[in-house]
Amino acid sequence: MPLVCPDGAVVAYAWKRQLAGQAGASAVDRTRLALKAFTDQKRRFFPHLEDEVLNHLHDGESGIAKRPRMPAGNGELEEKTLSEILKNLENEVPNMKISTYRRLDWSKRASSLASLMDDDFVDPSKELNLQNMGKLRPGSVTTPIDQVAVIELLVPSIFRVVVSLHPAGSVDPDAVAFFSPTEGGSYLHARGLSVHHVFKHVTEHADKALQYFISVEPSKALSMLLRWIADYQTLFAKLCSKCRRLLLMDKSLALLLPPVHRPYHQISSIGSDHQEAYHIGCSSYDA
Amino acid sequence: SHIAQPGGPHPVKTRESRHRRRPSSPALHRPAAMAPAKWLMHWHPNPGVTLNTQILSEACGCAESLGGTKDGRWKTSIIFYRPMTRDGAGGAQQNLPPDVPRELLGVALHERPGLYFSILRNQRLVLQADAAFSQVMEKLQSFKARVNLNFEGFQYQLGDFCLRIGKCVPNNTETLRGIMMEVEYYPLSSIEKSRAIMVDFFDIWQETLAKKSLPGRFIHVESNFAEYGLSDHYSFQHTAVQYATCLQQLMAAVRA
């Protein structure tokens, strides 16, 4: 709440006023005061949010909430933190580029993708640069792990997936959407929808997969979701496990589509090579 | 793991409660530089069979039977230029110095009316230029337009595919020189990654067309993009090169 000083000045941050007279205050002092002020405000206005992360900071540890790692009975890797999940995924799926963003930073990137794609005079022999220019902001380097609200998974020339985390810095995904790597614009977010039919249908299926993962094992939902997404790199190559074709005319939709369904029941949180794929009509799932 | 927010518990995200923006068809939102992967196919008539426009209408009927909706016309033009020699005839090719190309192709693509692509086939060069190029060529008189071909017809949207079926006619005539098809797959720009999809589409197309028992078939001839210095990312230059490749086939088929 703004503080009104005796002289009538309105100070948004009381702690700044306190320091104003202390020219010699060090950076550490300022930071400590700022942190205390913010923590107090947080406790006052958002009492339901946990203080766990900040408590650790007070203890002098890093900002990541650390819990002891215990291997599960079936030998699976226990991944409890966001950075662990992302690091393991990077090792398991090296051709998928993982980037992390604050929510606002992602909005900016999505819009910048539109103008990158729109340049009329891009020399096609240098179009590979478009892929690289788009990654001038390697979000995973500059976004602190406790502020990550958006995860971008890019398999070049195949798909771009946007996953939203809520709250930021948690391992709780709440939305997912698939797009073509050629798409750009403000509609590119975890609750948006691609202009292409194939990605629209994968997104619809991904919605269900996400709800399933959350309902079955909330603590593992993100890691299962990300690995399930990674399997879609074969979207335009893998034949349907039932009819053994790639492209099939879906009679009810009147659309030619590759197998857009990949099963999400009973998969382990470790990626497997033999994931099956089905056309919508060949799938045993109901729509 | 759901944390209560001020104002109520975390809303359950069901499919119905999501408000996803649904942009309209890709035909309206196509970004400029990231051109979708495209295959060009041309009609190869059976030996001894002459071309006729019935094939064109049957092909259009097939597009519609696959669920295609007609949404406009298209026209691409190709001009053959031959170098002018000093005597003005433009015909005595053997008197030309060896580094002068024997032939220049100018391609005006329907999807980029402001651009003009010139191709030197033997040198494997493709150049993107402004549409004023053809006027400049005319003024310079170093190359003279010999043959002017138009590829024109109807365009169909088939979900994530776009089909353009058209006839090849020399400018200002009605003589049918060939029948052509463009197939675009909007979601992908990579030639390599879209190959399996394109092959499958081609098979489905052939199956559908075979029911009409037409005297010939569509074929796709691979262009060697790498020779022209083009990358795996599809672009208008790629289309210009495919037209040049197709033309060779069409001319050969017509002469036969």
Side-chain angles (χ1 to χ4, degrees), chain A residues 48-49 117-122 124-125 127-128 130-131 156-158 166-167 172 174-177 180-182 186-187 190-199 203-204 207-208 211 214 218 236 245-247 249 255-258 287, chain B residues 1-6 10 13 15 18-26 29-34 66-67 112 115 128 158-161 185-190 193 196-197 200-201 204 207 229-238:
Chain A
H48 52 280
L49 290 176
M117 306 297 175
D118 238 359
D119 188 351
D120 209 8
F121 295 102
V122 167
S125 67
E127 263 179 40
L128 278 168
L130 277 179
Q131 298 276 356
S157 304
I158 305 280
H166 187 90
D172 302 316
D174 73 336
V176 57
S180 161
T182 63
S186 57
Y187 70 93
R191 286 186 178 78
L193 208 59
S194 169
V195 298
H196 305 290
H197 295 278
V198 55
F199 291 113
T203 299
E204 268 179 32
D207 283 348
K208 293 182 216 149
Q211 294 312 315
I214 290 174
F236 298 105
R245 299 180 59 159
L246 181 61
L247 216 53
M249 174 66 79
L255 289 174
L256 283 164
L257 292 169
Chain B
S1 62
H2 289 294
I3 298 160
Q5 282 193 339
H10 197 72
K13 296 275 188 284
R15 232 167 6 116
R18 288 179 190 278
H19 294 292
R20 290 190 182 272
R21 268 196 58 192
R22 281 170 165 77
S24 49
S25 88
H29 287 266
R30 285 319 305 160
M34 286 296 233
L66 283 171
R112 289 328 269 159
L115 297 178
Q128 172 177 314
L158 266 83
D160 289 331
F161 289 90
Y185 188 57
Y186 288 123
L188 295 175
S189 269
S190 158
K193 299 282 195 282
I197 294 271
D200 254 33
F201 179 87
I204 291 171
E207 272 173 36
L230 299 176
S231 77
D232 180 57
H233 278 267
Y234 200 83
S235 71
F236 305 119
Q237 273 87 337
H238 289 81

Side-chain angles (χ1 to χ4, degrees), chain B residues 147-194:
Chain B
V147 181
N148 199 329
L149 291 170
N150 288 327
F151 298 82
E152 56 195 13
F154 291 112
Q155 165 171 307
Y156 294 84
Q157 302 299 334
L158 266 83
D160 289 331
F161 289 90
C162 177
L163 241 66
R164 290 181 193 95
I165 304 171
K167 56 188 178 188
C168 172
V169 284
N171 209 17
N172 300 325
T173 76
E174 284 298 318
T175 332
L176 186 64
R177 284 304 181 100
I179 292 172
M180 289 269 313
M181 243 178 72
E182 285 189 10
V183 180
E184 261 185 326
Y185 188 57
Y186 288 123
L188 295 175
S189 269
S190 158
I191 296 166
E192 186 213 321
K193 299 282 195 282
S194 60

Side-chain angles (χ1 to χ4, degrees), chain A residues 5 11 37 44-45 68-69 78 81-83 96 99 132 142-144 157 184 189 217 230 250 273 283-284 286:
Chain A
C5 301
V11 177
R44 188 174 153 197
F45 296 113
R69 276 226 260 167
E78 274 289 299
T81 71
L82 182 58
S83 53
M96 186 164 76
S99 312
N132 297 328
T142 57
T143 308
S157 304
H189 55 82
E217 205 156 356
D250 185 289
D273 281 337
S283 169
S284 50
D286 290 323

